[in-house]
Amino acid sequence: MTYTLSINQRVPLGDVAATATAADPVAIDDTVRARVQASRETLEKFVAEERVIYGVNTSMGGFVNYLVPVSMARQLQENLLNAVATNVGERLDDTTVRAIMTARIVSLSRGNSAISLKNLDKLIAIRNSGVVPQVPQKGSLGTSGDLGPLAAIALVCIGQWKARLDGEELSGAEALARVGIAPMELSFKEGLALINGTSGMVGLGSLNIARAKRLLNTYLLISALSVEGLAGKTKPFDPRVHALKPHKGQQEVAKFLWETLAESTLAVDELDTELLLSGEMGDTAKAGSKSIEDAYSVRCTPQILGPVVDSLAAIEKTVEDELNSSNDNPLVVPDEIEVFHNGHFHGQYVSMAMDHLAIALTTLMNLSNRRIDRYLDKSNSEGLPAFLCQENPGLRLGLMGGQFMTASLTAETRAKAMPMSIQSLSSTGDFQDIVSFGFVAARRAAEVLDNVAHVVAFELLCACQAVDIRGTEGLSPATRRLYEATRELVPYLDHDVTITDYVETLAQHLLSEPGLG
């Protein structure tokens, strides 16, 4: 199905991720075409009037003080692309490149960037053709836009650099020839319009957020399953007490757990524990057979995941606002009949949003890590066997080794939570003197997300092992569905076996399938 952009349409961030993942084509309607044409004609009017405009009749970056006649426009724009296409490292996957190209098309379709309609049409055609520019991952400052990543894409559009088509690596010129698209011929400002924006970090950010939302939604259900697996008490989730602390995310998480566990008999009614302990009360202080309260990793789930829920909502709005912006320089606004030199290319909003995403995900992972420890530690698991090893303990080691992996990933991920958005370094003769590193923040958030998914996958594996030991007949209807979906992928482990494939399969499902499909 073709996704069509309109001038009055606010594009939901999730649509970028969805169209990129499905490789659905994108298009623009007549309202966009008229606005893009008006912006270009406005710029052409200014050129005819010999106004001095950055990137039109001046050079760029550290050579901003150089005047360049418009007769040299094509060479100037092509030189720009080649000069800044300096990223290195592994290439981005096809889905990420499509998301980035889609984000750039959305921004250009706002009709304030003065790209020619002909070249915007070519960008859309290339995005839809199956040609995927090869974009090295590392090297973007995220200020003056994602110059390196976007230049790699733009070079393919003019028939240079490298691309993939049907899995085959080709020169940009050959790839375009095979799909019957003539390379772009750039005029003044057009190379700048293709690369001078935040679309790299927005495209990658859109995928991060879509995957994080899937993981979080499933993790709420995993949390309910872990309450059952750890014989946790449900009263701390009663919405009546959460009404006394008006954080929206906290209240949503508590309500979900309260309702999900309503029919569970594995989760504990606190009143039963209170009655038991009351019967054990005597004339001297002594240890009771149960505790009246659970550890924080069970009891404080709404207070820990609530901020994650709220943060993710704010992060999504920030990146969606950036998606629906004109984010290059200069901007040519036909309504005002004016050109504005500006700094809309600066990626600080997205950089901070991606840092916040990494912090939120690390918070979720910390919770998961602590629950895993409770599952495997006999003294803290409310009657479960050590390392969830029910059969032949000692001869077998059970799930002991899985904690090695989760502890390692947790430590690594905490180190990655150091914000990139504060790591500014000056460059370009001190012209770009404060930068965002937004693309780096987005790329690192993707790495954090992958790590967290593997930790959560092992918690889910432990939870299913635990409820098998306790008796699955006590599961709530919702957690039973999760349990059964997991058991289609991972069996009950009554013998020691390498679990890498199981954990990786679960992690992949957590990121791609809501509720494990």
Side-chain angles (χ1 to χ4, degrees), residues 72 215 222 239 487:
M72 297 179 176
L215 178 62
I222 294 172
R487 280 288 171 253

Side-chain angles (χ1 to χ4, degrees), residues 7 96 140 144 158 235-236 270 277 330 344 356 428 473:
I7 199 66
T96 301
S140 176
S144 209
I158 65 172
K235 192 173 181 180
E270 186 178 304
L277 294 175
H344 283 7
H356 292 156
T428 322
E473 63 276 3

Side-chain angles (χ1 to χ4, degrees), residues 270-281:
E270 186 178 304
L271 180 59
D272 292 339
T273 302
E274 186 177 336
L275 291 172
L276 173 66
L277 294 175
S278 179
E280 296 175 1
M281 194 72 70

Side-chain angles (χ1 to χ4, degrees), residues 29-97:
D29 70 6
D30 288 342
T31 65
V32 173
R33 303 182 74 82
R35 174 78 182 204
V36 169
Q37 182 66 24
S39 180
R40 185 65 187 178
E41 289 175 354
T42 301
L43 180 58
E44 290 172 347
K45 172 180 177 294
F46 294 156
V47 170
E49 294 170 352
E50 298 185 345
R51 292 185 62 174
V52 177
I53 301 170
Y54 178 80
V56 174
N57 47 21
T58 78
S59 189
M60 290 156 281
F63 286 120
V64 63
N65 59 316
Y66 279 67
L67 302 175
V68 181
V70 293
S71 60
M72 297 179 176
R74 179 174 179 178
Q75 187 65 61
L76 176 64
Q77 299 301 311
E78 291 188 3
N79 286 346
L80 169 67
L81 301 187
N82 280 285
V84 302
T86 53
N87 268 33
V88 296
E90 293 183 8
R91 280 30 174 176
L92 296 174
D93 62 87
D94 291 6
T95 298
T96 301
V97 175

